[in-house]
Amino acid sequence: MSKKIMVVDDEEAIRLLYKEEFEDEGYTVIECENGEEALEKFQKEKPDLVVLDIAMPGMSGLDVLGKIKEISPNTPVIMSTAYSHYKQDFYTWVADAYIVKSPDLTQLKEKIEELLK
Amino acid sequence: MKNRSDVEKLLYEFALLLQQETDLRHLYFSSLPLLMYVFDLEKIVLFKYSKRKQCFDPKIGLIKEKTDFIEKIWKNNPSLGELSQYLLNMSIDSLYETEFNRTIREMNLPCNDISRSIINPFIEKKIKNININDLKNRHVINILKNIGITETTYIPLTARNSTVGFMLLSPSDKNFNNPIFVSFISLLSLAIDNLINSKEVSRLEEFIEINKEDIMQKQRLYEIGKTASTIAHEIKNTLVGTIGLFDKLSKHIDNSDKSKKYADIIDTELNKLYRFALDINKYSKSSSFTKKELLDLPELIDKVIEMTATINPKFVFSVCIDKNASKIYADKEQIEQVFVNLFKNSMEAFKGDKEGTIRVIAKKEDDYIVIKIRDNSGGVSESKLSEITKPFFTTKSYGTGLGLSIVSQIIKEHNGTIDFKNIPNGLECTIKLPIPKINNGGSI
């Protein structure tokens, strides 16, 4: 069975891009457009990995990260954001990886592969 | 003549009025003669603490014969009001222009000498008798002896828990623990402190007034910068998905020349916008995120050459880094950005058929690592040389005009300097980065 990746991002274009690219790699993708939806779907779908945006309206990615790690500490979470300065935010240390968003998904895909090994 | 307790009461009440003084010098010369008279003193020397110089400045020297005028007024039996008015309004010229005062003010005492050899006013906050011969510093002993002080009483002047100065009074056999005396000293210290503070406030106000335009300009730029960075972030975030999806779309378009051409243009333009947003973000990135470490300069330059060589493979690099200039203390990512931008700039400015060259030379000079980057790309017209690090300045049709602004900002954040000058056929950029001092006083 293919591995499940949950993509949490408020940008539709990014969700779509990630979905297509990850599906091409053989993953199943669950899309969420905000933190609340993410938590709900996380419990139901039990994904193998989460790609999480930080700056979202409503619940921030950092809050979602905390909750996910509470529910399932072993599920890898990759923080994906346009800001590189969150790297210094100690909240993100709980995350398994930190990626600065780019149209080139090579780095992100490599990270996913590595974490799902 | 009034009796002693009346006189002391007057002294105390006068001290309360001192808080109205608006001039420090006038404050000293209107109050100290009265103190001198009431306590029958011969000499007063006052040192004021200067925050700017961080030392005690000899400010006032007063001798008894110059304060006779108080006795004369006293004989007429004035009321407190009359006496106060006289003192608060009198001219202090004759008190200021004395030989003794001049000697005191010209007393050339090195800052440390006073606190080391007399007493440390920051520690010693009690009245204390001092015999000049017990002092350690010959120089200070001689100065004090020359002005006729041998036995003296040290009076600390403190207000709101901070030391504003101290006085030396002679003779030293008076009852300085008298409550009137103590109150007078506290009120005098308070008045001095108030005046110093109000002076500082007005200096600050004056500074703000003079630099108003500049401060407002900076404030505006700051606001614009913040807005620009937010907009850039939004653009960047949106483009990540858009560029990615467009990439996918362009694989599905028909193979006609027109379609390919349109797709190429859209792709180029989207990427240009994306780079522009990236550049603005880099430019406005806060310095608090610089993470400095010790870096190997030759290794770093090699890496950047490798990264940029693809822009124009015909470019020839020559690197000459002195051994003692091979380590720099900098943020790796940021300093790489500096060299990438500089090399890119040289390569993109290059015109003509001859071979393009970039020379990198690094040397240690005093406390700096000096790195020179020379190219043969034709240089910049002299009139534009001072403009090239300004944001949005560009000579290229496709640049964002932020490349060199980012370079200059990063170097500034590393406490270094950057200069550009024209050399035959090209431009020379000189970067100076400070060598960090390590704790044992040596340098890395």
Side-chain angles (χ1 to χ4, degrees):
Chain A
M1 207 177 116
S2 71
K3 300 248 177 174
K4 242 189 243 178
I5 298 179
M6 192 165 102
V7 173
V8 191
D9 203 303
D10 57 317
E11 285 282 333
E12 197 191 346
I14 287 180
R15 286 201 308 273
L16 187 57
L17 176 69
Y18 283 9
K19 185 179 154 70
E20 299 231 335
E21 291 276 328
F22 296 164
E23 281 176 355
D24 285 353
E25 303 279 316
Y27 301 115
T28 306
V29 178
I30 307 147
E31 286 178 69
C32 309
E33 65 170 291
N34 59 48
E36 287 78 5
E37 191 189 342
L39 287 180
E40 201 190 303
K41 284 193 179 165
F42 184 82
Q43 310 244 35
K44 216 160 66 191
E45 303 274 352
K46 302 200 169 35
D48 298 293
L49 183 142
V50 182
V51 179
L52 184 58
D53 184 23
I54 293 184
M56 291 185 292
M59 204 174 176
S60 96
L62 296 178
D63 296 334
V64 179
L65 171 68
K67 295 267 193 251
I68 287 179
K69 284 292 174 187
E70 247 173 56
I71 302 167
S72 170
N74 294 327
T75 306
V77 179
I78 299 175
M79 302 309 281
S80 139
T81 171
Y83 298 99
S84 59
H85 67 237
Y86 278 111
K87 259 185 209 175
Q88 273 82 9
D89 190 321
F90 69 90
Y91 278 111
T92 64
W93 296 358
V94 192
D96 299 86
Y98 186 101
I99 296 281
V100 177
K101 271 185 204 169
S102 150
D104 180 3
L105 300 187
T106 320
Q107 206 195 352
L108 178 58
K109 283 183 193 165
E110 278 171 10
K111 254 301 161 241
I112 292 176
E113 201 181 335
E114 183 194 317
L115 289 169
L116 284 179
K117 236 181 231 166
Chain B
M1 185 69 139
K2 293 173 186 296
N3 68 40
R4 183 106 208 140
S5 72
D6 279 347
V7 172
E8 287 182 350
K9 196 173 155 241
L10 274 182
L11 181 67
Y12 177 68
E13 289 184 12
F14 179 71
L16 290 171
L17 294 172
L18 289 180
Q19 311 306 319
Q20 301 167 7
E21 278 280 3
T22 53
D23 178 79
L24 259 181
R25 197 189 288 172
H26 201 275
L27 170 73
Y28 300 139
F29 284 110
S30 62
S31 59
L32 295 179
L34 191 63
L35 184 77
M36 190 168 238
Y37 177 77
V38 174
F39 284 89
D40 198 19
L41 300 168
E42 300 284 340
K43 289 188 179 80
I44 297 181
V45 181
L46 184 145
F47 294 80
K48 184 180 101 33
Y49 180 64
S50 158
K51 273 189 198 155
R52 190 171 53 83
K53 291 192 258 174
Q54 299 220 324
C55 75
F56 292 89
D57 257 353
K59 280 286 177 193
I60 298 297
L62 200 65
I63 35 172
K64 195 181 181 185
E65 50 259 46
K66 283 287 167 186
T67 59
D68 297 346
F69 71 96
I70 294 197
E71 180 140 21
K72 282 179 200 150
I73 304 168
W74 220 270
K75 275 182 182 147
N76 297 330
N77 219 354
S79 66
L80 168 69
E82 284 166 333
L83 177 69
S84 306
Q85 279 315 308
Y86 179 82
L87 291 171
L88 291 175
N89 296 319
M90 74 176 181
S91 153
I92 56 164
D93 293 352
S94 63
L95 292 168
Y96 187 76
E97 303 293 343
T98 64
E99 189 66 36
F100 186 67
N101 191 35
R102 193 170 324 120
T103 319
I104 298 297
R105 297 177 67 85
E106 286 165 8
M107 196 192 245
N108 209 358
L109 271 183
C111 278
N112 288 334
D113 275 13
I114 298 183
S115 48
R116 270 201 214 127
S117 55
I118 298 181
I119 221 161
N120 187 342
F122 284 118
I123 297 167
E124 198 56 66
K125 295 190 173 176
K126 285 208 172 81
I127 294 173
K128 201 172 187 175
N129 282 342
I130 302 172
N131 186 324
I132 298 303
N133 291 316
D134 293 341
L135 299 178
K136 286 184 190 109
N137 190 312
R138 277 272 125 222
H139 181 62
V140 175
I141 296 177
N142 287 340
I143 289 180
L144 292 174
K145 275 191 175 160
N146 274 344
I147 54 174
I149 292 178
T150 46
E151 286 276 341
T152 184
T153 303
Y154 159 86
I155 313 278
L157 301 173
T158 56
R160 301 183 184 94
N161 283 331
S162 68
T163 301
V164 295
F166 66 92
M167 294 198 292
L168 298 177
L169 307 186
S170 16
S172 58
D173 57 351
K174 307 291 174 190
N175 178 15
F176 294 122
N177 285 318
N178 173 325
I180 296 289
F181 178 84
V182 174
S183 313
F184 182 88
I185 293 300
S186 329
L187 287 164
L188 175 69
S189 311
L190 197 62
I192 295 174
D193 194 41
N194 284 343
L195 270 180
I196 294 171
N197 288 338
S198 71
K199 253 189 178 169
E200 263 172 31
V201 170
S202 58
R203 252 204 298 272
L204 202 62
E205 281 169 353
E206 202 179 311
F207 176 82
I208 291 172
E209 189 56 39
I210 293 170
N211 297 291
K212 209 171 172 182
E213 269 304 304
D214 198 33
I215 291 169
M216 276 166 68
Q217 174 78 4
K218 287 212 173 87
Q219 178 77 22
R220 271 197 297 272
L221 280 176
Y222 174 73
E223 293 298 335
I224 293 170
K226 245 174 43 184
T227 315
S229 141
T230 313
I231 296 172
H233 169 250
E234 286 305 319
I235 293 175
K236 191 182 145 198
N237 208 15
T238 309
L239 285 181
V240 169
T242 313
I243 291 174
L245 288 179
F246 183 75
D247 211 33
K248 288 183 159 303
L249 177 67
S250 53
K251 286 180 188 121
H252 299 291
I253 56 168
D254 63 73
N255 255 340
S256 74
D257 284 351
K258 260 192 181 173
S259 301
K260 268 197 216 151
K261 191 181 161 199
Y262 295 160
D264 267 357
I265 292 174
I266 294 175
D267 186 53
T268 312
E269 293 302 303
L270 283 180
N271 274 297
K272 193 167 120 188
L273 198 57
Y274 181 70
R275 273 203 312 276
F276 186 60
L278 275 183
D279 272 1
I280 290 184
N281 258 3
K282 272 179 208 147
Y283 181 65
S284 57
K285 203 166 152 191
S286 158
S287 62
S288 54
F289 299 117
T290 33
K291 206 179 121 239
K292 289 184 197 159
E293 56 188 316
L294 208 57
L295 301 170
D296 188 73
L297 188 60
E299 198 180 292
L300 190 120
I301 298 285
D302 278 350
K303 187 180 165 197
V304 177
I305 290 174
E306 210 173 288
M307 282 159 74
T308 48
T310 49
I311 299 172
N312 187 343
K314 280 185 199 156
F315 253 76
V316 177
F317 285 88
S318 78
V319 183
C320 177
I321 296 170
D322 282 2
K323 245 200 175 122
N324 59 6
S326 65
K327 297 281 179 209
I328 55 166
Y329 190 64
D331 182 296
K332 192 163 177 256
E333 212 175 296
Q334 292 189 3
I335 216 75
E336 272 177 17
Q337 185 75 50
V338 166
F339 292 113
V340 166
N341 288 10
L342 288 171
F343 291 178
K344 248 173 79 181
N345 244 49
S346 292
M347 289 167 147
E348 287 170 353
F350 186 71
K351 297 179 258 319
D353 310 320
K354 53 186 186 337
E355 197 178 57
T357 58
I358 293 177
R359 268 180 75 75
V360 182
I361 304 149
K363 282 190 168 70
K364 182 175 169 283
E365 278 177 24
D366 300 326
D367 292 335
Y368 290 90
I369 300 290
V370 181
I371 307 163
K372 287 183 191 291
I373 296 141
R374 294 183 187 141
D375 65 24
N376 63 343
S377 301
V380 177
S381 78
E382 282 299 323
S383 61
K384 287 185 174 156
L385 206 53
S386 62
E387 306 255 301
I388 59 175
T389 58
K390 283 190 183 158
F392 306 111
F393 175 87
T394 182
T395 55
K396 298 172 288 197
S397 53
Y398 51 86
T400 61
L402 284 172
L404 291 183
S405 315
I406 294 169
V407 166
S408 140
Q409 176 141 323
I410 292 174
I411 296 298
K412 253 189 237 159
E413 277 163 13
H414 283 77
N415 302 318
T417 59
I418 184 161
D419 289 296
F420 293 89
K421 75 169 191 208
N422 279 314
I423 51 171
N425 296 326
L427 193 67
E428 179 187 83
C429 164
T430 307
I431 295 172
K432 282 185 168 188
L433 290 172
I435 298 169
K437 296 268 183 285
I438 54 172
N439 286 340
N440 61 15
S443 54
I444 298 171

